[in-house]
Each structure stands twice: as C-alpha cells, then as structure tokens.
Amino acid sequence: MTHRVRFYHAGCAICVDAERRFADALDPVKFDVEIVHLGDTPERIGEAEAAGVQSVPAFVIDGQAYHINFGAALADLKGGA
Amino acid sequence: MTHRVRFYHAGCAICVDAERRFADALDPVKFDVEIVHLGDTPERIGEAEAAGVQSVPAFVIDGQAYHINFGAALADLKGGA
C-alpha cells in the first residue's frame, strides 16, 4: 500500500530546494506525493495547520507533520495571502 | 549515479521517527544512505557541523543540510557527549 504524502510549500527558494530534494526523492513505489502551493491555494492553509504544519516547507505523511528547514511561517502566509 | 546521503541523529524519539519516515523512504535506486548516531560516535559531530547541521535529526545530501523538525541541538550533544 502506498502512503499518502502532502508537501506544503510557498514557492520560496528553500521550499523549491526541499521539493527537489525530498518530494522527488521519496520512493515512488511507497509514496503518493501531492504538492500543495499555499501561495496559490491559500484556502488550504487551514488544512495544513490542522495537520500540525507550522512553517513551510513541510511534509504531512500519514497525518504527521515534518518541517524541513525553515522557509516561511504559516502565520505569515495567512497574513500575506 | 546515486547521491551520497548522511542522516545524523542522536537516538531521540523525533530522530527515530524521522529515520523511519525519511531515511527508509528515499528511493534506494537514487540514494545511498548512511545513518550516523552522534551519541555513539561523538567524534563525528565536527563533520556534521562542518556540513551545516545545527540540530538533529538532519540529512546532509550532496553537502547541503536539511533539518527535519527538531530533536536536539548539536551544541547540546557536544556538551552531553
């Protein structure tokens, strides 16, 4: 069975790098990765927040949030959207 | 060609979870992952630090550091080793 993975980002340089490194690196046999750009789809910020995402870039894998370095705080995305 | 990846951790719960999620998740065709326990091998803390690692768990992929959430600061590992 494949794991559902969401990768939340906001288009920042750190986000793009993390996407290239990790979202493209996960074993495609095991993971089904959805890329979510919160700048383009601010209506999904609530969903990310509910999953425990505090900053981007971040993965949510099986409901657990994993922050990769620090690009931008979710709170700042809400303000700037 | 496979990418050389080092995963630095210190045995903490956040480290173990990140290892399970990411170190085991990377596409084995593309990545050659070495797991480094800095609690067991404190002599490698300097090497992690030189690669830009500030806290564990963290990956170093092609010389670039990626911190996954926050388990412990490298500075604290040095003090406690």
Side-chain angles (χ1 to χ4, degrees):
Chain A
M1 202 190 84
T2 56
H3 295 275
R4 292 282 301 168
V5 176
R6 290 206 174 100
F7 178 70
Y8 293 100
H9 75 114
C12 60
I14 288 171
C15 297
V16 169
D17 184 54
E19 177 177 344
R20 196 170 54 86
R21 280 296 179 202
F22 288 95
D24 296 344
L26 294 174
D27 190 338
V29 174
K30 296 184 194 159
F31 297 91
D32 178 17
V33 182
E34 180 190 8
I35 312 286
V36 181
H37 190 316
L38 292 177
D40 293 343
T41 55
E43 67 274 15
R44 297 190 65 176
I45 290 177
E47 156 202 315
E49 208 166 30
V53 174
Q54 295 174 6
S55 62
V56 289
F59 283 94
V60 174
I61 306 179
D62 296 340
Q64 180 76 34
Y66 298 92
H67 304 87
I68 311 275
N69 288 344
F70 180 85
L74 221 61
D76 291 337
L77 294 180
K78 284 201 274 191
Chain B
M1 201 191 85
T2 57
H3 295 275
R4 292 283 300 169
V5 176
R6 292 208 173 99
F7 177 70
Y8 293 100
H9 74 114
C12 61
I14 288 172
C15 296
V16 170
D17 185 54
E19 178 177 344
R20 197 170 52 86
R21 280 298 179 201
F22 288 95
D24 297 345
L26 294 174
D27 190 337
V29 175
K30 296 183 194 160
F31 296 91
D32 178 15
V33 182
E34 180 190 7
I35 311 286
V36 182
H37 189 318
L38 293 177
D40 292 343
T41 55
E43 66 274 15
R44 297 190 65 175
I45 291 178
E47 156 203 315
E49 207 167 31
V53 174
Q54 295 173 8
S55 62
V56 288
F59 283 94
V60 174
I61 306 179
D62 296 340
Q64 179 77 35
Y66 297 92
H67 304 87
I68 312 274
N69 288 344
F70 180 85
L74 221 61
D76 291 336
L77 293 181
K78 283 199 277 191

